[in-house]
Amino acid sequence: MQDSVDRPEAGERACIMVTSIRSGVLTLLHTACGAGILAMPYAFKPFGLVPGVVMIVICGACAMQSLLIQARVARYVAPGKASFSTLTRLINPRLSIVFDLAIAVKCFGVGVSYMIVVGDLMPQIMSSWTGNAWLLSRNVQISLIMLFFVAPLSFLKKLNSLRYASMVAISSVAYLCVLVLVHYVVPSDEILRLKGRVSYLFPQQSHDLNFLNTLPIFVFAYTCHHNMFSIINEQKSVRFEHVMKIPLISISLALALYIAIGCAGYLTFGDNIIGNIIMLYPQTVSSTVGRIAIVLLVMLAFPLQCHPARASIHQILQYFTEENATTSTTSVAGRTVTNESSPLIRNNSIDINEVIEEEPIYQPKDTPLRGKSFIIITCGILVASYCVAISVSSLAHVLAIVGATGSTSISFILPGLFGYKLIGTEHKADIPLPTRLFKYSGLALFVLGLLIMVTCLTAALKPN
């Protein structure tokens, strides 16, 4: 018999925006295939070809399992209310602000990197048509893209509203893939002169680059977990059998793209590969179109970082508002509970089944993000991103640290903790084997995430 938690609650279809699986796949794939795809061949450098492919597959499998765990644990909160914050409060309410902060910092840092990519590529693109110094200015190009494209898209309230933008961005990724493959199959003389040594196994010669410095690239490449709960909330059904199709399809497509671009790019340039592969191609029509495609990709990906960052900042502000609110108690069905002016899940001894069955009482307060709060937070993110992007020319080292911390937390540590703490709590007796496997896979991801965070962060902070 199906568990009671799988049954849709009354009014579920009314409170959840009906969205197709295809829209969810496009959004998740668009989130994953961001600027990190440009550095995928570079990540092969300290590994070699075959070990690099193995790392892509392993990290993809871990990312997919993490997303499937998110699909499983979404059932433990009210339909349409799944988020890192609400699920963290079920485990330990005071941890919610820590992980919301990690999500906000990670998404903000990635969004800033997108604008830096725009600032680097747009002057090169414009130089093909004009020599006007004003149009070739990095800051001018960032200003124009932010004002006319990024800002309007960032004010959209639903990820489903970005489905057409996601289709354009995925087309850009497909073009980049074709560009890399064509230049590998039919390299020009200029590209052949740039080719270095290719290692099929671990490189025999030592590189200044440590494999711990590029490992976060593989993890970061699949980081789309911060949008998974928003996608689930917008689905017409939150049943695991329905939602699981989204990560299965999107991560499989991302895996194929990463293997194609990573292998072809590394085989083309060998150990002379750099962090942004498209910068190595000569100034031709095809490479210019490729640079335009990358600008479209990162420009349209920025709102997908703004959406979870905005939600996390809202949750952080709400947390402090609730902490400072006056707590009063009432008696409901012989129990003492807090009212809506403070967090409602304070006692970790509350049974998860009680939370599910009596969600109006025990669910944490959920203040909708709309009106002035929505506008102020969105404007704050845009202004701060713009100021940092025009002030900093390179965030490579900073993003290495953010990737080792924020990406690992969102992709492995937090979903793994959710899975281990929540999955199986609805069973009074023995937990079935499939459920137990899901539960302990969460523990494995949690431990793996901690190891990656410590080792890669240590490598990133190590002086050169």
Side-chain angles (χ1 to χ4, degrees), residues 77-97:
V77 295
K81 302 297 183 182
S83 70
F84 282 92
S85 180
T86 54
L87 285 163
T88 303
R89 293 188 188 197
L90 291 179
I91 300 172
N92 188 330
R94 298 191 179 278
L95 285 179
S96 61
I97 188 174

Side-chain angles (χ1 to χ4, degrees), residues 45-360:
K45 187 174 180 179
F47 286 94
L49 184 66
V50 175
V53 172
V54 172
M55 288 304 302
I56 291 178
V57 174
I58 291 175
C59 290
C62 291
M64 182 181 293
Q65 180 62 20
S66 181
L67 289 166
L68 292 175
I69 288 176
Q70 287 184 257
R72 284 289 295 264
V73 300
R75 69 204 300 202
Y76 295 101
V77 295
K81 302 297 183 182
S83 70
F84 282 92
S85 180
T86 54
L87 285 163
T88 303
R89 293 188 188 197
L90 291 179
I91 300 172
N92 188 330
R94 298 191 179 278
L95 285 179
S96 61
I97 188 174
V98 176
F99 291 109
D100 275 318
L101 183 61
I103 294 171
V105 170
K106 183 266 175 188
C107 295
F108 175 78
V110 175
V112 169
S113 73
Y114 289 164
M115 290 301 99
I116 291 177
V117 171
V118 168
D120 291 339
L121 294 184
M122 280 302 297
Q124 293 185 347
I125 294 171
M126 296 304 297
S127 66
S128 301
W129 294 291
T130 181
N132 186 289
W134 187 79
L135 292 176
L136 295 180
S137 170
R138 175 181 183 272
N139 291 351
V140 169
Q141 291 298 328
I142 292 176
S143 302
L144 293 175
I145 294 295
M146 286 284 289
L147 181 62
F148 293 106
F149 296 98
V150 171
L153 289 174
S154 297
F155 277 95
L156 295 176
K157 295 185 178 182
K158 291 288 185 179
L159 289 180
N160 182 49
S161 303
L162 296 169
R163 61 187 182 278
Y164 298 116
S166 296
M167 293 175 66
V168 174
I170 297 304
S171 300
S172 301
V173 174
Y175 182 85
L176 175 64
C177 185
V178 172
L179 180 69
V180 174
L181 290 173
V182 168
H183 280 293
Y184 164 66
V185 175
V186 189
S188 64
D189 292 337
E190 187 174 351
I191 290 178
L192 288 175
R193 286 194 293 269
L194 293 174
K195 185 173 182 178
R197 179 178 179 178
V198 174
S199 301
Y200 290 90
L201 296 177
F202 289 102
Q204 295 180 354
Q205 63 183 33
S206 59
H207 295 293
D208 294 334
L209 188 66
N210 190 300
F211 76 94
L212 290 177
N213 295 124
T214 64
L215 178 58
I217 294 177
F218 294 114
V219 177
F220 177 80
Y222 293 101
T223 303
C224 53
H225 302 67
H226 47 286
N227 280 329
M228 183 60 180
F229 286 130
S230 295
I231 292 171
I232 293 174
N233 293 339
E234 295 179 10
Q235 290 296 305
K236 61 183 178 181
S237 172
V238 296
R239 293 180 65 251
F240 178 72
E241 293 77 9
H242 172 82
V243 178
M244 67 176 289
K245 299 175 184 177
I246 297 174
L248 287 175
I249 297 173
S250 57
I251 296 299
S252 297
L253 292 174
L255 175 64
L257 285 170
Y258 292 152
I259 290 178
I261 292 178
C263 291
Y266 178 70
L267 289 172
T268 301
F269 298 105
D271 58 7
N272 287 335
I273 191 70
I274 63 174
N276 188 342
I277 185 174
I278 202 169
M279 301 298 294
L280 288 173
Y281 294 117
Q283 192 78 4
T284 61
V285 174
S286 61
S287 60
T288 299
V289 174
R291 292 184 179 98
I292 294 174
I294 295 303
V295 169
L296 283 174
L297 173 65
V298 298
M299 179 180 69
L300 297 175
F302 186 96
L304 295 178
Q305 302 296 329
C306 182
H307 189 281
R310 179 173 54 217
S312 294
I313 293 172
H314 170 65
Q315 293 289 352
I316 293 171
L317 296 175
Q318 182 181 339
Y319 176 89
F320 285 111
T321 301
E322 292 174 349
E323 283 294 315
N324 294 329
T326 302
T327 302
S328 62
T329 60
T330 58
S331 178
V332 179
R335 299 170 180 169
T336 300
V337 297
T338 54
N339 70 357
E340 291 187 347
S341 64
S342 60
L344 299 179
I345 299 181
R346 291 290 189 184
N347 188 354
N348 290 332
S349 64
I350 296 177
D351 195 322
I352 292 297
N353 292 301
E354 294 178 347
V355 177
I356 295 170
E357 294 168 4
E358 299 188 52
E359 60 188 31

